Amino acid sequence: MGDFEATVDVRLDHYAILEGEQLRSYLAIQVLCIVLVLIMGIDAAVKVYRQFLQCKPNGPGGKWTAPNSAFVLGILIDMGVTLLTCTFISIRIPAKVQSAPKTREIVGAISAIDWGSEEVTLNEKKATFFALVQTILKLIDEEQNMQAFANWILILSMLRI
């Protein structure tokens, strides 16, 4: 007999379901984030306008001056954080609002599988069950991808500090 090797990998993943007071609190915080990010975007636009006024020629025949590279980098980071945060929130809010109904639908469908029925084959029951489990795993994967996206936004925000 040949050598055999077995490995076990354990991962703890979850899918957050928000409803009721938790969902209302989450939405209030997201609205506040949108307001603050829009203020940040407006501030960046004002800074760009002021920099434009400083860089333009003072009179006819004058020369344009280049803005400071640190200023350009800071503005690009601000605009990037603004756009990414708005994108994140616009994706995240509908997902959180639909989290409880989606979960109820999936759990209801799993509960509705009539395992004792002889009218439906065991293979069909297993196929239905595992398709529903795959749906849950897809939701968990989407949740993890959004967390990774949020982490990139935080890293970009930290570059600005």
Side-chain angles (χ1 to χ4, degrees), residues 101-137:
K102 278 184 183 179
T103 305
R104 262 192 295 281
E105 179 184 330
I106 295 166
V107 171
I110 289 173
S111 299
I113 297 172
D114 189 4
W115 292 101
S117 171
E118 293 181 7
E119 295 176 14
V120 181
T121 67
L122 181 59
N123 285 338
E124 289 174 306
K125 294 173 194 171
K126 288 190 319 187
T128 301
F129 175 78
F130 285 114
L132 293 167
V133 169
Q134 286 299 320
T135 303
I136 293 171
L137 293 175

Side-chain angles (χ1 to χ4, degrees), residues 2 12 14 16-17 20 28 33 45 61 65 68 71-72 77 82 84 88 93 98 100 102 116 132 134-135 144:
L12 178 62
H14 71 284
I17 302 165
C33 283
T65 58
N68 182 326
F71 170 80
V72 172
I77 290 172
T82 301
L84 290 175
F88 176 83
I93 287 177
Q98 290 298 316
K102 278 184 183 179
L132 293 167
Q134 286 299 320
T135 303
Q144 289 175 331

